[in-house]
Amino acid sequence: GGHFTPAQDRRAKLEAGARAIHEHEQMLANAMVNGTGNLPGLADIPGVSLIGGADNARREGVVSLTMKGRKSEEIVAYLNERGVRTHTRKADHYSVNVLSPLGLADCVRVSFSHYNTEAEVAQFLSAMNEYAEGPAP
């Protein structure tokens, strides 16, 4: 936190660091949902449905999505082949309480943290937009 405050107090440094991490992760979430540079975000990709909606101020470190007519496993495989690590989240004991009420058996989970960059979000969005433009499997 010392990079984000002139304070010398340890608690003040920790709080400043935590605020900076939160702000950075919110910027990443916003870029992922709304786009960055000239890349459309998930909210603008045809067929993409965001779990929790596009305008979700409580989003923390993860964006989960489905895509109409596309299987989560296929999306994840496509992204992973392009160097974007994602996962399929299934309605198992970890996430059944979220997915089952939505009538979903699975979704794509994209996680991010303070060490990720906007360039990595752009790489993800580029791959997602390419996938969406391709023929349905």
Side-chain angles (χ1 to χ4, degrees), residues 44-48 67 70 78 126-136:
D44 296 316
I45 297 175
V48 169
M67 188 174 223
R70 307 291 182 105
Y78 184 90
S126 179
M128 277 299 297
N129 278 285
E130 287 172 12
Y131 183 80
E133 292 169 3

Side-chain angles (χ1 to χ4, degrees), residues 32-133:
M32 197 173 286
V33 171
N34 298 307
T36 184
N38 63 349
L39 292 167
L42 293 170
D44 296 316
I45 297 175
V48 169
S49 178
L50 294 166
I51 295 175
D55 297 323
N56 186 343
R58 297 184 70 180
R59 191 177 307 281
E60 293 283 341
V62 66
V63 174
S64 296
L65 63 104
T66 60
M67 188 174 223
K68 187 175 183 176
R70 307 291 182 105
K71 294 181 181 178
S72 296
E73 295 87 0
E74 292 171 0
I75 299 169
V76 167
Y78 184 90
L79 293 169
N80 289 350
E81 288 170 5
R82 282 149 186 80
V84 181
R85 188 171 176 197
T86 55
H87 301 278
T88 302
R89 189 57 122 181
K90 297 186 182 228
D92 57 15
H93 62 279
Y94 292 110
S95 52
V96 69
N97 60 335
V98 174
L99 295 175
S100 291
L102 297 173
L104 298 172
D106 56 56
C107 68
V108 176
R109 176 187 165 107
V110 186
S111 302
F112 51 91
S113 192
H114 63 282
Y115 49 76
N116 291 114
T117 65
E118 192 171 1
E120 290 171 316
V121 171
Q123 180 183 359
F124 162 71
L125 290 177
S126 179
M128 277 299 297
N129 278 285
E130 287 172 12
Y131 183 80
E133 292 169 3

